[in-house]
Amino acid sequence: MPIWGDRLLAAGAPVTVPRDPARDAAREELLNADYHKHDPTVLQRIADWFWDHLNGALENLSGDGTDGTTGVVLFLIVAVLIAAALWWRLGAPKRSARSTLGVYGGGGPRSAAQHRADAAGHAAAGRWAEAVREQMRALVRSLEERTLLDSRPGRTADEAAAEAGRALPEHAAALTAAARTFDDIAYGDRTADQAAYQLLLDLDRTLERTRPALAPVPGQATAPTGSPIGAQAAARTGSPTGPSSTGGAA
């Protein structure tokens, strides 16, 4: 036997749905992806929110009273945040120049004596930045002339210090400090002074009197004293190599 609701449907009368089931059905229907194809993304919503607030702050710049002050403060905060983001993303200025420019710059190397003479001339005139640059170039060029470094164009001060530190391990820390001083003055914002120049000059003079630490060749054994090579070495030093010639035969 049909119920009353079925009779209404058959007669074409509207069906009344309770509030809660209707709300749930509408929510489920709105969750359909087809309705959200052209919705803005989360990033777009954040960008819209940011620009809306920024535009409001800029509009308040021309106002008076509290609104104008608030707008100026917001504008300054936004400017600082943008500058901090660019600094963090791109790094400090001249960082790329420090990593790509060689110790000799664009002029190429000359003799160590010429670099030293130029450094001394700049120092006498109080041009400490130029004196530091030339003195560091004299130091590196001297190591190349002594074949402690190979002559390689484009080598940076840091690379020269690291390579020279392996041949002169007792001066590795001083070489690293000298390269850092050169970088900070040549490519950074550090002000050069007489102390920086004197640091490089003293190190250059010390390295001139230093001999590299030669490691023994792997697998090379010392010749025994009874061999001809050992006998020759002993003869040069005056030490006996075999049975005493004074004892004679029995």
Side-chain angles (χ1 to χ4, degrees):
M1 178 178 181
I3 61 174
W4 181 74
D6 294 336
R7 293 175 183 176
L8 291 178
L9 288 172
V15 177
T16 302
V17 180
R19 177 181 300 175
D20 291 341
R23 183 178 63 245
D24 294 340
R27 182 183 298 111
E28 291 179 0
E29 180 67 18
L30 292 176
L31 291 176
N32 192 329
D34 293 335
Y35 294 109
H36 304 280
K37 291 181 179 179
H38 304 290
D39 289 352
T41 63
V42 176
L43 292 177
Q44 290 174 335
R45 293 175 183 177
I46 294 175
D48 292 341
W49 176 88
F50 172 79
W51 289 116
D52 289 342
H53 283 73
L54 180 60
N55 289 332
L58 293 177
E59 290 175 358
N60 289 331
L61 288 177
S62 58
D64 52 359
T66 305
D67 290 340
T69 304
T70 303
V72 172
V73 172
L74 289 176
F75 178 77
L76 292 177
I77 291 175
V78 170
V80 170
L81 291 177
I82 293 175
L86 291 175
W87 185 282
W88 176 81
R89 180 67 181 85
L90 301 177
K94 299 184 180 180
R95 178 181 297 177
S96 59
R98 175 179 299 187
S99 61
T100 57
L101 289 181
V103 66
Y104 298 117
R110 293 174 293 156
S111 68
Q114 289 174 321
H115 285 299
R116 290 189 182 106
D118 289 345
H122 290 308
R127 297 187 294 268
W128 299 116
E130 292 84 351
V132 165
R133 285 195 290 265
E134 288 300 322
Q135 186 56 53
M136 184 66 188
R137 291 163 183 166
L139 188 153
V140 175
R141 187 56 180 160
S142 175
L143 294 175
E144 291 176 349
E145 291 175 350
R146 296 170 58 191
T147 68
L148 296 179
L149 292 176
D150 61 309
S151 298
R152 189 173 75 245
R155 177 192 279 117
T156 65
D158 293 332
E159 292 171 345
E163 295 171 17
R166 290 190 286 269
L168 304 168
E170 66 274 18
H171 299 292
L175 285 164
T176 300
R180 187 178 300 113
T181 298
F182 173 82
D183 286 342
D184 291 342
I185 292 174
Y187 309 122
D189 54 359
R190 176 179 170 181
T191 302
D193 53 15
Q194 183 177 0
Y197 166 71
Q198 194 65 41
L199 173 70
L200 297 178
L201 179 61
D202 292 342
L203 179 60
D204 184 24
R205 291 172 175 172
T206 299
L207 295 180
E208 281 192 288
R209 301 188 299 267
T210 303
R211 294 294 175 263
L214 299 178
V217 178
Q220 182 178 0
T222 304
T225 57
S227 66
I229 298 177
Q232 294 175 5
R236 287 195 298 269
T237 58
S239 59
T241 60
S244 175
S245 58
T246 59

Coordinates of all heavy atoms in Angstrom, one line a residue, residues 170-246:
E170 N 103.4 24.1 8.2 CA 103.6 24.9 9.4 C 103.1 26.4 9.2 O 102.9 27.1 10.2 CB 105.1 24.9 9.9 CG 106.0 25.6 8.9 CD 106.5 24.8 7.8 OE1 105.9 23.7 7.6 OE2 107.6 25.1 7.2
H171 N 102.9 26.8 8.0 CA 102.4 28.1 7.7 C 101.0 28.1 7.1 O 100.6 29.1 6.5 CB 103.4 28.8 6.8 CG 104.8 29.0 7.3 ND1 105.1 29.8 8.4 CD2 105.9 28.4 6.9 CE1 106.4 29.7 8.6 NE2 106.9 28.9 7.8
A172 N 100.3 27.0 7.2 CA 99.0 26.8 6.5 C 98.0 27.8 7.1 O 97.2 28.5 6.4 CB 98.5 25.4 6.7
A173 N 98.0 27.9 8.5 CA 97.0 28.9 9.1 C 97.3 30.3 8.8 O 96.4 31.1 8.5 CB 97.1 28.7 10.6
A174 N 98.6 30.7 8.7 CA 99.0 32.0 8.3 C 98.6 32.3 6.9 O 98.2 33.5 6.6 CB 100.5 32.3 8.6
L175 N 98.8 31.4 6.0 CA 98.4 31.6 4.6 C 96.9 31.7 4.5 O 96.4 32.6 3.7 CB 98.8 30.4 3.8 CG 100.3 30.3 3.5 CD1 100.7 28.9 3.0 CD2 100.7 31.4 2.4
T176 N 96.1 31.0 5.2 CA 94.6 31.1 5.2 C 94.2 32.5 5.7 O 93.4 33.1 5.1 CB 94.0 30.0 6.0 OG1 94.4 28.7 5.5 CG2 92.5 30.1 6.0
A177 N 94.8 33.0 6.8 CA 94.5 34.3 7.3 C 94.9 35.4 6.3 O 94.2 36.4 6.1 CB 95.2 34.5 8.6
A178 N 96.0 35.2 5.6 CA 96.4 36.2 4.6 C 95.4 36.3 3.5 O 95.1 37.3 3.0 CB 97.8 35.9 4.1
A179 N 95.0 35.1 3.0 CA 94.0 35.1 1.9 C 92.7 35.7 2.3 O 92.1 36.4 1.5 CB 93.8 33.6 1.4
R180 N 92.3 35.5 3.6 CA 91.0 36.1 4.0 C 91.2 37.6 4.1 O 90.3 38.3 3.8 CB 90.7 35.5 5.4 CG 89.3 36.0 5.9 CD 89.0 35.3 7.2 NE 88.9 33.9 7.1 CZ 89.8 33.1 7.7 NH1 90.8 33.6 8.5 NH2 89.6 31.8 7.6
T181 N 92.3 38.1 4.6 CA 92.6 39.5 4.6 C 92.5 40.1 3.2 O 91.9 41.2 3.0 CB 93.9 39.8 5.3 OG1 93.9 39.3 6.6 CG2 94.2 41.3 5.3
F182 N 93.2 39.4 2.3 CA 93.2 39.9 0.9 C 91.8 40.0 0.3 O 91.4 41.0 -0.3 CB 94.1 39.0 0.0 CG 94.0 39.3 -1.4 CD1 94.8 40.3 -2.0 CD2 93.2 38.6 -2.3 CE1 94.7 40.6 -3.3 CE2 93.1 38.8 -3.6 CZ 93.9 39.8 -4.2
D183 N 91.0 38.9 0.5 CA 89.6 38.9 0.0 C 88.7 40.0 0.6 O 88.0 40.7 -0.1 CB 88.9 37.6 0.3 CG 89.5 36.5 -0.6 OD1 90.1 36.8 -1.6 OD2 89.3 35.3 -0.2
D184 N 88.9 40.2 2.0 CA 88.0 41.2 2.6 C 88.4 42.6 2.2 O 87.5 43.5 2.1 CB 88.3 41.1 4.2 CG 87.7 39.9 4.7 OD1 86.8 39.2 4.1 OD2 88.0 39.5 5.9
I185 N 89.6 42.9 1.8 CA 90.0 44.2 1.4 C 89.8 44.4 -0.1 O 89.3 45.4 -0.6 CB 91.5 44.5 1.8 CG1 91.6 44.6 3.3 CG2 92.0 45.7 1.1 CD1 93.0 44.7 3.8
A186 N 90.2 43.4 -0.9 CA 90.1 43.5 -2.4 C 88.6 43.4 -2.9 O 88.3 44.2 -3.8 CB 90.9 42.4 -3.0
Y187 N 87.8 42.6 -2.2 CA 86.5 42.4 -2.8 C 85.4 42.7 -1.7 O 84.2 42.7 -2.1 CB 86.3 40.9 -3.2 CG 87.4 40.5 -4.2 CD1 88.2 39.4 -3.9 CD2 87.7 41.2 -5.3 CE1 89.2 39.0 -4.7 CE2 88.7 40.8 -6.2 CZ 89.4 39.7 -5.9 OH 90.4 39.3 -6.7
G188 N 85.7 42.9 -0.5 CA 84.7 43.1 0.5 C 84.7 44.6 0.9 O 85.0 45.5 0.1
D189 N 84.3 44.8 2.1 CA 84.1 46.2 2.6 C 85.1 46.5 3.7 O 84.8 47.5 4.4 CB 82.7 46.4 3.0 CG 82.2 45.4 4.1 OD1 83.0 44.5 4.4 OD2 81.0 45.5 4.5
R190 N 86.1 45.7 3.9 CA 87.0 46.0 5.0 C 88.0 47.1 4.6 O 88.5 47.1 3.4 CB 87.8 44.8 5.4 CG 88.9 45.0 6.4 CD 89.6 43.8 6.8 NE 90.8 44.0 7.6 CZ 91.6 43.1 8.1 NH1 91.4 41.8 7.8 NH2 92.7 43.4 8.8
T191 N 88.3 48.0 5.5 CA 89.2 49.1 5.2 C 90.7 48.6 5.4 O 91.0 48.1 6.4 CB 88.9 50.3 6.1 OG1 87.6 50.8 5.9 CG2 89.9 51.5 5.8
A192 N 91.5 48.9 4.4 CA 92.9 48.4 4.5 C 93.7 49.4 5.4 O 93.3 50.6 5.5 CB 93.6 48.4 3.2
D193 N 94.7 48.9 6.1 CA 95.5 49.7 7.0 C 96.9 49.2 6.9 O 97.2 48.2 6.3 CB 95.0 49.8 8.4 CG 94.7 48.4 9.0 OD1 95.3 47.4 8.4 OD2 94.0 48.3 10.0
Q194 N 97.8 49.8 7.7 CA 99.2 49.4 7.7 C 99.4 48.0 8.3 O 100.2 47.3 7.9 CB 100.1 50.4 8.4 CG 101.5 50.1 8.4 CD 102.4 51.2 9.1 OE1 101.8 52.2 9.7 NE2 103.7 51.0 9.2
A195 N 98.6 47.7 9.3 CA 98.7 46.4 9.9 C 98.4 45.3 8.9 O 99.1 44.2 9.0 CB 97.7 46.3 11.1
A196 N 97.4 45.4 8.1 CA 97.1 44.4 7.1 C 98.2 44.2 6.1 O 98.6 43.1 5.8 CB 95.8 44.7 6.4
Y197 N 98.8 45.3 5.7 CA 99.9 45.2 4.7 C 101.1 44.6 5.4 O 101.8 43.8 4.8 CB 100.3 46.6 4.3 CG 101.6 46.7 3.6 CD1 101.9 46.2 2.3 CD2 102.7 47.4 4.2 CE1 103.1 46.2 1.7 CE2 104.0 47.4 3.6 CZ 104.1 46.9 2.4 OH 105.4 46.9 1.8
Q198 N 101.4 45.0 6.7 CA 102.6 44.4 7.4 C 102.4 42.9 7.6 O 103.4 42.2 7.6 CB 102.7 45.2 8.7 CG 104.1 44.9 9.4 CD 105.2 45.5 8.6 OE1 105.2 46.6 8.0 NE2 106.3 44.7 8.5
L199 N 101.2 42.5 7.8 CA 100.9 41.0 8.0 C 101.4 40.3 6.8 O 102.1 39.2 6.9 CB 99.4 40.8 8.3 CG 99.0 39.4 8.3 CD1 99.5 38.7 9.6 CD2 97.4 39.3 8.3
L200 N 101.0 40.7 5.6 CA 101.3 40.0 4.4 C 102.8 40.2 4.1 O 103.5 39.2 3.6 CB 100.5 40.6 3.2 CG 99.0 40.4 3.3 CD1 98.3 41.0 2.1 CD2 98.7 38.9 3.4
L201 N 103.4 41.3 4.4 CA 104.8 41.5 4.2 C 105.7 40.6 5.0 O 106.6 40.0 4.5 CB 105.2 43.0 4.4 CG 106.7 43.3 4.2 CD1 107.1 43.1 2.8 CD2 106.9 44.8 4.6
D202 N 105.3 40.5 6.3 CA 106.1 39.6 7.2 C 105.9 38.1 6.8 O 106.9 37.4 6.8 CB 105.6 39.8 8.6 CG 105.9 41.1 9.2 OD1 106.8 41.8 8.6 OD2 105.3 41.6 10.2
L203 N 104.7 37.8 6.4 CA 104.6 36.4 5.9 C 105.4 36.1 4.7 O 106.0 35.0 4.5 CB 103.1 36.1 5.7 CG 102.7 34.7 5.2 CD1 103.2 33.6 6.2 CD2 101.2 34.5 4.9
D204 N 105.4 37.0 3.7 CA 106.2 36.9 2.5 C 107.7 36.7 2.8 O 108.3 35.8 2.3 CB 106.0 38.1 1.6 CG 106.7 37.9 0.3 OD1 106.9 36.8 -0.2 OD2 107.0 39.0 -0.4
R205 N 108.2 37.5 3.7 CA 109.6 37.3 4.1 C 109.9 36.0 4.8 O 110.9 35.4 4.6 CB 110.0 38.5 5.0 CG 110.0 39.8 4.3 CD 110.2 41.0 5.2 NE 110.4 42.3 4.5 CZ 110.4 43.5 5.1 NH1 110.4 43.5 6.4 NH2 110.6 44.6 4.4
T206 N 108.9 35.6 5.6 CA 109.1 34.3 6.4 C 109.1 33.1 5.4 O 109.9 32.2 5.5 CB 108.0 34.1 7.4 OG1 108.0 35.2 8.3 CG2 108.1 32.8 8.1
L207 N 108.2 33.2 4.4 CA 108.1 32.1 3.4 C 109.3 32.0 2.6 O 109.7 30.9 2.1 CB 106.9 32.2 2.6 CG 105.5 32.1 3.3 CD1 104.4 32.3 2.3 CD2 105.4 30.8 4.0
E208 N 110.0 33.1 2.3 CA 111.2 33.1 1.5 C 112.3 32.3 2.2 O 113.2 31.7 1.5 CB 111.7 34.6 1.3 CG 111.0 35.3 0.2 CD 111.7 36.6 -0.2 OE1 111.7 37.6 0.7 OE2 112.3 36.7 -1.2
R209 N 112.3 32.3 3.5 CA 113.4 31.6 4.3 C 112.9 30.2 4.6 O 113.7 29.4 5.3 CB 113.7 32.3 5.6 CG 114.2 33.8 5.3 CD 114.7 34.4 6.6 NE 113.6 34.5 7.6 CZ 112.8 35.5 7.8 NH1 113.0 36.6 7.0 NH2 111.9 35.5 8.7
T210 N 111.7 29.8 4.2 CA 111.2 28.5 4.6 C 111.4 27.5 3.4 O 111.1 27.8 2.3 CB 109.7 28.6 4.9 OG1 109.6 29.5 6.0 CG2 109.2 27.2 5.4
R211 N 111.8 26.3 3.8 CA 111.9 25.2 2.8 C 110.7 24.3 2.9 O 110.2 24.0 4.0 CB 113.2 24.4 3.0 CG 114.4 25.3 2.7 CD 114.5 25.7 1.2 NE 115.6 26.6 0.9 CZ 115.5 27.9 0.9 NH1 114.3 28.5 1.1 NH2 116.5 28.7 0.6
P212 N 110.2 23.8 1.8 CA 109.0 22.9 1.9 C 109.3 21.6 2.6 O 110.5 21.1 2.6 CB 108.7 22.6 0.4 CG 110.0 22.9 -0.3 CD 110.7 23.9 0.4
A213 N 108.3 21.0 3.2 CA 108.4 19.7 3.8 C 108.3 18.6 2.8 O 107.2 18.4 2.2 CB 107.4 19.6 4.9
L214 N 109.4 18.0 2.5 CA 109.4 16.9 1.5 C 109.1 15.6 2.1 O 109.8 15.1 3.0 CB 110.8 16.9 0.8 CG 111.2 18.1 0.1 CD1 112.6 18.0 -0.5 CD2 110.2 18.5 -1.0
A215 N 108.0 15.0 1.6 CA 107.6 13.7 2.1 C 108.4 12.6 1.5 O 108.8 12.7 0.3 CB 106.1 13.4 1.9
P216 N 108.8 11.5 2.2 CA 109.6 10.4 1.6 C 108.8 9.7 0.5 O 107.5 9.6 0.6 CB 109.8 9.5 2.8 CG 108.8 9.8 3.8 CD 108.5 11.3 3.6
V217 N 109.4 9.3 -0.5 CA 108.8 8.6 -1.6 C 108.3 7.2 -1.1 O 109.1 6.5 -0.5 CB 109.7 8.4 -2.8 CG1 109.0 7.7 -3.9 CG2 110.2 9.8 -3.2
P218 N 107.0 6.9 -1.2 CA 106.5 5.6 -0.8 C 107.3 4.4 -1.4 O 107.5 4.4 -2.7 CB 105.1 5.6 -1.2 CG 104.7 7.1 -1.3 CD 106.0 7.7 -1.8
G219 N 107.7 3.4 -0.6 CA 108.3 2.2 -1.2 C 109.8 2.4 -1.3 O 110.5 1.4 -1.7
Q220 N 110.4 3.6 -1.1 CA 111.8 3.7 -1.2 C 112.5 3.4 0.1 O 112.2 4.0 1.1 CB 112.1 5.2 -1.6 CG 113.6 5.4 -1.8 CD 113.9 6.8 -2.3 OE1 113.0 7.6 -2.4 NE2 115.2 7.1 -2.5
A221 N 113.3 2.3 0.1 CA 114.0 1.9 1.3 C 115.4 2.4 1.4 O 116.0 2.7 0.3 CB 114.0 0.3 1.3
T222 N 115.9 2.5 2.6 CA 117.3 3.0 2.8 C 118.3 1.9 2.4 O 118.1 0.7 2.7 CB 117.5 3.4 4.2 OG1 116.5 4.4 4.6 CG2 118.9 4.0 4.4
A223 N 119.3 2.3 1.6 CA 120.3 1.3 1.1 C 121.1 0.7 2.3 O 121.5 1.5 3.2 CB 121.2 1.9 0.1
P224 N 121.3 -0.6 2.4 CA 122.1 -1.1 3.5 C 123.5 -0.7 3.4 O 124.0 -0.4 2.3 CB 121.9 -2.6 3.3 CG 121.6 -2.8 1.8 CD 120.8 -1.6 1.4
T225 N 124.1 -0.7 4.6 CA 125.5 -0.2 4.6 C 126.5 -1.1 3.9 O 127.6 -0.6 3.5 CB 125.9 0.0 6.1 OG1 125.8 -1.3 6.8 CG2 125.1 1.0 6.8
G226 N 126.2 -2.3 3.7 CA 127.1 -3.2 3.1 C 127.1 -3.2 1.6 O 127.9 -3.7 0.9
S227 N 126.0 -2.4 1.0 CA 125.9 -2.3 -0.4 C 126.9 -1.3 -1.0 O 127.4 -0.5 -0.2 CB 124.5 -2.0 -0.8 OG 124.2 -0.7 -0.3
P228 N 127.1 -1.3 -2.3 CA 128.0 -0.3 -2.9 C 127.5 1.1 -2.6 O 128.3 2.0 -2.3 CB 128.0 -0.6 -4.3 CG 127.7 -2.1 -4.4 CD 126.8 -2.3 -3.3
I229 N 126.2 1.3 -2.7 CA 125.6 2.7 -2.5 C 125.9 3.1 -1.0 O 126.3 4.2 -0.7 CB 124.1 2.7 -2.8 CG1 123.9 2.4 -4.3 CG2 123.5 4.1 -2.4 CD1 122.5 2.4 -4.7
G230 N 125.6 2.1 -0.1 CA 125.9 2.4 1.3 C 127.3 2.7 1.6 O 127.7 3.5 2.4
A231 N 128.2 2.0 0.9 CA 129.7 2.2 1.1 C 130.1 3.6 0.6 O 130.9 4.2 1.2 CB 130.5 1.1 0.3
Q232 N 129.5 4.0 -0.5 CA 129.8 5.3 -1.0 C 129.3 6.4 0.0 O 130.0 7.4 0.2 CB 129.2 5.5 -2.4 CG 129.8 4.6 -3.5 CD 129.1 4.8 -4.8 OE1 128.2 5.6 -4.9 NE2 129.5 3.9 -5.8
A233 N 128.1 6.2 0.5 CA 127.6 7.2 1.4 C 128.4 7.2 2.7 O 128.7 8.3 3.3 CB 126.1 6.8 1.8
A234 N 128.8 6.0 3.1 CA 129.7 6.0 4.3 C 131.0 6.6 4.1 O 131.6 7.2 5.0 CB 129.8 4.5 4.8
A235 N 131.6 6.4 2.9 CA 132.9 7.0 2.6 C 132.7 8.5 2.7 O 133.7 9.2 3.1 CB 133.4 6.6 1.3
R236 N 131.6 9.1 2.2 CA 131.5 10.6 2.2 C 131.3 11.1 3.6 O 131.8 12.2 4.0 CB 130.2 11.0 1.4 CG 130.4 10.8 -0.1 CD 129.3 11.6 -0.8 NE 128.0 11.0 -0.6 CZ 127.5 10.0 -1.3 NH1 128.1 9.5 -2.3 NH2 126.3 9.5 -1.0
T237 N 130.7 10.2 4.5 CA 130.6 10.7 5.9 C 131.7 10.3 6.8 O 131.8 10.7 8.0 CB 129.3 10.1 6.5 OG1 129.3 8.7 6.4 CG2 128.1 10.6 5.7
G238 N 132.6 9.4 6.3 CA 133.8 9.0 7.1 C 133.5 7.9 8.1 O 134.3 7.6 8.9
S239 N 132.3 7.2 7.9 CA 132.0 6.1 8.9 C 132.4 4.8 8.2 O 132.3 4.6 7.0 CB 130.5 6.1 9.2 OG 129.7 6.0 8.0
P240 N 132.8 3.7 9.0 CA 133.1 2.4 8.4 C 131.9 1.7 7.9 O 130.8 1.9 8.5 CB 133.7 1.7 9.6 CG 133.2 2.3 10.8 CD 132.9 3.8 10.5
T241 N 132.0 0.9 6.9 CA 130.9 0.2 6.3 C 131.0 -1.3 6.5 O 130.1 -2.0 6.3 CB 130.8 0.5 4.8 OG1 132.0 0.1 4.2 CG2 130.6 2.0 4.6
G242 N 132.2 -1.8 6.8 CA 132.3 -3.3 6.9 C 133.3 -3.6 8.0 O 133.5 -2.8 8.9
P243 N 134.0 -4.8 7.9 CA 134.9 -5.2 8.9 C 136.1 -4.2 9.0 O 136.5 -3.6 8.0 CB 135.4 -6.6 8.4 CG 134.3 -7.1 7.5 CD 133.7 -5.9 6.9
S244 N 136.6 -4.0 10.1 CA 137.7 -3.1 10.3 C 138.9 -3.5 9.6 O 139.3 -4.7 9.6 CB 138.0 -2.9 11.8 OG 139.1 -2.1 12.0
S245 N 139.6 -2.6 8.8 CA 140.8 -2.9 8.1 C 142.0 -3.1 8.9 O 143.0 -3.6 8.5 CB 141.0 -1.9 7.0 OG 141.2 -0.6 7.6
T246 N 141.8 -2.6 10.2 CA 143.0 -2.7 11.1 C 143.1 -4.0 11.8 O 144.2 -4.4 12.3 CB 142.9 -1.6 12.2 OG1 141.7 -1.8 12.9 CG2 142.9 -0.2 11.5

